[in-house]
Amino acid sequence: MKFHIATIPGDGIGPDIVEQTLLVLKKIGEKFGHTFTFTETLAGGIAIDQVGEPLPQETLTICKNSDAVLLGAVGGPKWDTLPGDQRPEKALLGLRGELGLFANLRPALLYEPLKEACTLRSDLVEGGLDLMVVRELTGGIYFGERGRRQGKYGEEAYDTEAYSKPEVERIARVAFEIALKRNKRVTSVDKANILESSRLWRAVVEEVAQDYPEVELNHLYVDNAAMQLVRNPKQFDVLVTTNMFGDILSDEASMITGSIGMLPSASLGKNSLGMYEPIHGSAPDIAGQDKANPLATILSGAMMLRHSFQLEEEARAIESAVIKVLEQGYRTGDIMSVGMKQVGTTEMGQLVQENL
Ligand code: NAD
C-alpha cells in the first residue's frame, strides 16, 4: 500500500526525533511492502523565522492533502516573548481546528523494563500498566462563550461549558471502537452530579453504548477518577472524557509512567487523516545535542500505522522493537538508570530499526 505523510519537524529536538521516526517507517515499508512518501513542511518557531507566521497556509494545504501528519514539537525561549496569538504553539491549535481533529488519544503505558520510573508504589502497577485516555479536543469550556461583565461584586469573568449531542456521540464512538481492539472496557468521566452538560454527556454515552454490547461501560465523577488513577490505575482500559477533564487526567495518567520521552499521542477526526506527535515539548535544553529520546515519536508513528492506515501488525512490530531495545538495556539520558547502556538519539533510532 502507498501512504503520503506530511512531516512537521518543528523546533528544538523536533527535527532529530522526527528524522529517526521516518527511518523507522521506511524500514517498516521495506519489511512489509508498503511505500511511505514524506513531504516536510513548516510550523512553529521555525515557520515564524522563515515566513513570519507559526502556521503558514502552505503547511495546512500539504497536511490536508496527506494521509497523516507527523509532528515533532514546537516552541522555545526564542519566541517566548511574542504575543499569545503569534507564538509557535498557536500552530498546534490551528492544525487541530483546521484538520477537524476532535479526538485526542493519549495512551499511558508503563513498560516493564522501565517500571522503576513509575511514580506509584510498585505493587500498584505489578505486571505493567496500559490505559488509553480519549479526550474530546474541539469542544467544551475551551471553546465555549467567555467574557467579562459587571456582576454583583464588580467585574467578573466567565467561561462556558457546552456540549452538543453529536459532539458527545462522535467522541464516545471513538472510545468504544478503541475499546473493541483492547480490553473492551470504557470508563466515561464527567461531573453529572453538578453539571448539566455532564448529564447530557452521560446520557449520550449510554445511548452509544447500546451499539457496543460487548464493551463494558461504567461512569465516574472526575474527582473520583483523579483519585482512582493514583489509587488503582490498573482498573482502567479506556477513559473517555471532555476537553478540560481530559487535559488534566491525561497528564496525570502519563506522569504515572514517569517517562515523558516515551509517550505518544494521536489526534483524530472524522476521516482517517490524523496527526501524531509525542506528548513532550521541544526540550530546548537538549536540542541539537543528540540527547533526545526519539521513542515517543517513533511510537507516535506506530499509532499512525494503527489508526490512520489500519496497519495493526506493522504498528505492533514497532512497539515490540521498542520493548526489545529497552530489554537489551539501552537507554537515552532521560530514562537512564544504573547498569544500563546510555545511547544518543541516533543510536536509539538505529537500535529500533535493527530490532524490527
Ligand atoms: P518539554 O517537554 O519540552 O521539556 C520538559 C523536560 O523534559 C526538559 O528537561 C526536557 O529536556 C525533557 N524532555 C522532553 N522531551 C524529551 C525527550 N524526548 N528526550 C529527553 N528529554 C526530554 O517541556 P517544556 O520545557 O515545558 O517546554 C519547552 C518548549 O516546548 C516550550 O516552548 C513549550 O511551549 C513547548 N511545548 C510544545 C509542545 C508541543 O509541541 N506539542 C508540548 C509541550 C510544550
Side-chain angles (χ1 to χ4, degrees), residues 13 73-76 89 92 260-261 277 280-286 292-293 334:
I13 59 172
V74 297
E89 293 81 357
L92 298 174
I260 194 172
E277 57 182 310
H280 59 72
S282 59
D285 51 331
I286 54 167
N293 184 348
D334 57 314

Side-chain angles (χ1 to χ4, degrees), residues 22-167:
L22 300 192
L23 292 170
V24 168
L25 289 173
K26 276 184 194 150
K27 190 82 197 264
I28 283 282
E30 285 163 21
K31 198 169 145 59
F32 290 87
H34 305 299
T35 307
F36 298 112
T37 51
F38 308 102
T39 303
E40 186 176 316
T41 182
L42 291 176
I46 187 173
I48 297 173
D49 288 353
Q50 291 193 12
V51 294
E53 52 180 328
L55 182 59
Q57 185 56 45
E58 192 195 339
T59 300
L60 276 174
T61 308
I62 290 173
C63 291
K64 284 179 180 168
N65 291 330
S66 302
D67 298 311
V69 181
L70 180 73
L71 180 109
V74 297
K78 183 175 176 192
W79 305 280
D80 274 353
T81 49
L82 291 172
D85 61 338
Q86 293 166 31
R87 287 174 59 118
E89 293 81 357
K90 188 84 194 351
L92 298 174
L93 291 179
L95 280 163
R96 288 171 190 162
E98 288 288 330
L99 302 178
L101 306 174
F102 65 84
N104 186 222
L105 273 48
R106 292 254 305 247
L109 192 65
L110 180 65
Y111 293 90
E112 188 62 21
L114 295 180
K115 62 179 184 211
E116 279 166 25
C118 178
T119 49
L120 298 183
R121 240 179 30 226
S122 59
D123 59 304
L124 296 178
V125 289
E126 193 58 46
L129 177 66
D130 179 3
L131 63 93
M132 175 75 87
V133 179
V134 178
R135 166 190 170 193
E136 202 288 327
L137 204 57
T138 53
I141 196 165
Y142 292 179
F143 289 85
E145 197 192 324
R146 76 195 58 194
R148 302 273 173 126
R149 63 189 169 202
Q150 282 307 310
K152 202 170 156 194
Y153 303 103
E155 188 184 12
E156 61 184 28
Y158 63 95
D159 301 274
T160 324
E161 170 92 347
Y163 269 111
S164 64
K165 278 184 83 171
E167 280 176 309

Side-chain angles (χ1 to χ4, degrees), residues 63 93-94 96 114 140 206 232 234 253 286 312 314 351:
C63 291
L93 291 179
R96 288 171 190 162
L114 295 180
E206 291 275 0
N232 176 20
K234 287 183 68 175
I286 54 167
E312 179 64 31
E314 292 80 342
L351 285 162

Side-chain angles (χ1 to χ4, degrees), residues 83-351:
D85 61 338
Q86 293 166 31
R87 287 174 59 118
E89 293 81 357
K90 188 84 194 351
L92 298 174
L93 291 179
L95 280 163
R96 288 171 190 162
E98 288 288 330
L99 302 178
L101 306 174
F102 65 84
N104 186 222
L105 273 48
R106 292 254 305 247
L109 192 65
L110 180 65
Y111 293 90
E112 188 62 21
L114 295 180
K115 62 179 184 211
E116 279 166 25
C118 178
T119 49
L120 298 183
R121 240 179 30 226
S122 59
D123 59 304
L124 296 178
V125 289
E126 193 58 46
L129 177 66
D130 179 3
L131 63 93
M132 175 75 87
V133 179
V134 178
R135 166 190 170 193
E136 202 288 327
L137 204 57
T138 53
I141 196 165
Y142 292 179
F143 289 85
E145 197 192 324
R146 76 195 58 194
R148 302 273 173 126
R149 63 189 169 202
Q150 282 307 310
K152 202 170 156 194
Y153 303 103
E155 188 184 12
E156 61 184 28
Y158 63 95
D159 301 274
T160 324
E161 170 92 347
Y163 269 111
S164 64
K165 278 184 83 171
E167 280 176 309
V168 183
E169 191 184 329
R170 66 184 185 181
I171 190 76
R173 283 199 189 281
V174 169
F176 281 99
E177 289 292 333
I178 287 168
L180 280 179
K181 296 182 193 158
R182 295 172 45 100
N183 293 323
K184 301 190 174 59
R185 283 184 289 122
V186 168
T187 302
S188 172
V189 177
D190 60 38
K191 191 70 184 168
N193 49 344
I194 302 203
L195 301 177
E196 196 53 37
S197 54
S198 278
R199 286 193 269 274
L200 178 79
W201 177 280
R202 193 176 277 219
V204 176
V205 172
E206 291 275 0
E207 258 177 57
V208 173
Q210 305 297 316
D211 295 339
Y212 298 88
E214 58 278 68
V215 178
E216 188 190 313
L217 169 68
N218 72 318
H219 302 275
L220 282 186
Y221 298 137
V222 62
D223 41 349
N224 190 15
M227 277 195 310
Q228 297 298 332
L229 267 173
V230 286
R231 196 186 74 89
N232 176 20
K234 287 183 68 175
Q235 69 185 285
F236 297 118
D237 179 22
V238 176
L239 282 154
V240 61
T241 191
T242 62
N243 202 342
M244 183 167 68
F245 294 162
D247 190 4
I248 300 163
L249 293 180
S250 61
D251 265 20
E252 186 190 1
S254 56
M255 284 322 293
I256 292 173
T257 71
S259 310
I260 194 172
M262 294 294 303
L263 297 170
S265 79
S267 301
L268 308 177
K270 75 171 180 304
N271 41 41
S272 61
L273 172 60
M275 185 162 82
Y276 299 84
E277 57 182 310
I279 70 157
H280 59 72
S282 59
D285 51 331
I286 54 167
Q289 300 171 33
D290 196 40
K291 284 186 182 164
N293 184 348
L295 294 178
T297 319
I298 290 173
L299 291 165
S300 302
M303 290 189 87
M304 174 189 289
L305 299 182
R306 174 173 295 122
H307 295 290
S308 279
F309 306 160
Q310 312 304 323
L311 299 177
E312 179 64 31
E313 196 189 340
E314 292 80 342
R316 281 180 198 235
I318 294 181
E319 289 159 353
S320 337
V322 167
I323 293 172
K324 277 190 216 152
V325 173
L326 295 174
E327 283 170 352
Q328 290 157 9
Y330 295 105
R331 303 281 188 273
T332 41
D334 57 314
I335 49 172
M336 183 60 191
S337 59
V338 181
M340 299 294 138
K341 292 165 260 187
Q342 188 161 342
V343 295
T345 313
T346 313
E347 193 175 350
M348 186 54 108
Q350 278 163 358
L351 285 162

